[in-house]
Amino acid sequence: MLRVLYAGSPAASSRALELILKDSYMSSSIPEEQYKVVGVLTNPPSTQGRHRDLIPTEVAHYAQIWNEARDDGIVILTPEHLKQEARDQIASLHPDVFICFAYGHILGPKFFSLFKYGGINLHPSLLPKYRGATPVNQAILNCDRETGISIQKMALGIDEGDILSQQKWTLTGTETAESLLREVALHGAISITTILRYIAKHKELPISVPQHGVASYCSIIKKEDGRIRWGDSAEQIDAKIRAYTPWPGCFTTCGGQTLRIIKARDADKIAYQDSSIPKDTGAVPGTVLAYNKQRGILIQTGDGILIATELQWQAKKSMDYKSFMNGSRNFIGSVLE
């Protein structure tokens, strides 16, 4: 039986782990394809709230749920660094293959030597496009028409490994980073389970091919990146809000207060034929033009109109645009910065 160590931390990685664990349970009905997740490797718990409670990662949390529900014994490892002590703990599990999705640590040759079949990484882009930490966000920011996943052999260089499989699909232009990561988790988990069953049966990795094309890279997102530049086009701001949902979120200032724009759309994308939506007002970018009861709050950008439908004042709850306007009667005519 193939023994698997799974690594990851955020919600999307947890979703992929859930699907892989369920398939591993079903794989027991076909002995030659059977595999088992013997451990998960994830970040240490983080402190949250006033009382600094320790909160496990989503991956650790789901592994705990699985263990309790199935009376299973998945070992949950949460080292700060992958030094000798952590490697010894991993070696004691006798894993054959390492599966990684959004773990976020640099891994070296001593680590990979622990696995008979090496490491396999789920990367949410069509490599070599968007190597790095934020490929999903970058695809939305760039208004790409398609995206996909790459299952690759892990190499010492970041996202430079050969490709075991790729899958692509069309983007609708309505995805958020959160919703697209859910889709990535689903497609990626299915691809990984197929590969794990193949390794269990054939005792080797599937054939891989080198990456082809010009590599591009994406950088780590910072909180300040969420500030809206009203001189950008409505299309760009629409994409930015979706790319930064749920984190870091997009914000602006109004009368010295921070205002978060939670949901909004480029008017041309949803109301192109609506005569009540102006096309070119000549107003200063950032000007709050009008309140449209059917559509939302209209804001002038550097090119086109943005329609905001969910907003949030600093230290307040987020509200739909109708509720927001009930408590912000002088909002129309203000200029957001």
Side-chain angles (χ1 to χ4, degrees), residues 1-6 20-21 23-25 27-28 30-39 93-99 115-118 120 192-206:
M1 180 177 63
L2 186 72
R3 297 172 65 84
V4 179
L5 179 71
Y6 181 91
I20 291 168
L21 284 172
D23 184 73
S24 72
Y25 184 77
S27 75
S28 61
I30 308 176
E32 65 269 24
E33 295 183 2
Q34 187 174 6
Y35 67 91
K36 178 176 174 57
V37 176
V38 294
L93 300 177
H94 306 291
D96 297 307
V97 65
F98 175 64
I99 301 296
F115 307 93
K116 179 179 180 180
Y117 300 110
I120 296 172
I192 285 175
T193 59
T194 300
I195 289 172
L196 288 174
R197 285 174 179 258
Y198 180 96
I199 299 170
K201 183 174 183 178
H202 297 281
K203 306 298 186 289
E204 62 181 4
L205 292 175

Side-chain angles (χ1 to χ4, degrees), residues 223-238:
K223 187 174 182 180
E224 183 59 28
D225 293 335
R227 178 175 288 279
I228 296 171
R229 297 188 296 267
W230 292 105
D232 291 345
S233 70
E235 181 182 34
Q236 290 172 316
I237 296 172
D238 173 351

Side-chain angles (χ1 to χ4, degrees), residues 17 30 81 135 173 175 190 220 272 326:
L17 174 62
I30 308 176
H81 304 287
E175 294 87 358
I190 292 171
I220 293 174
Y272 186 78
N326 285 337

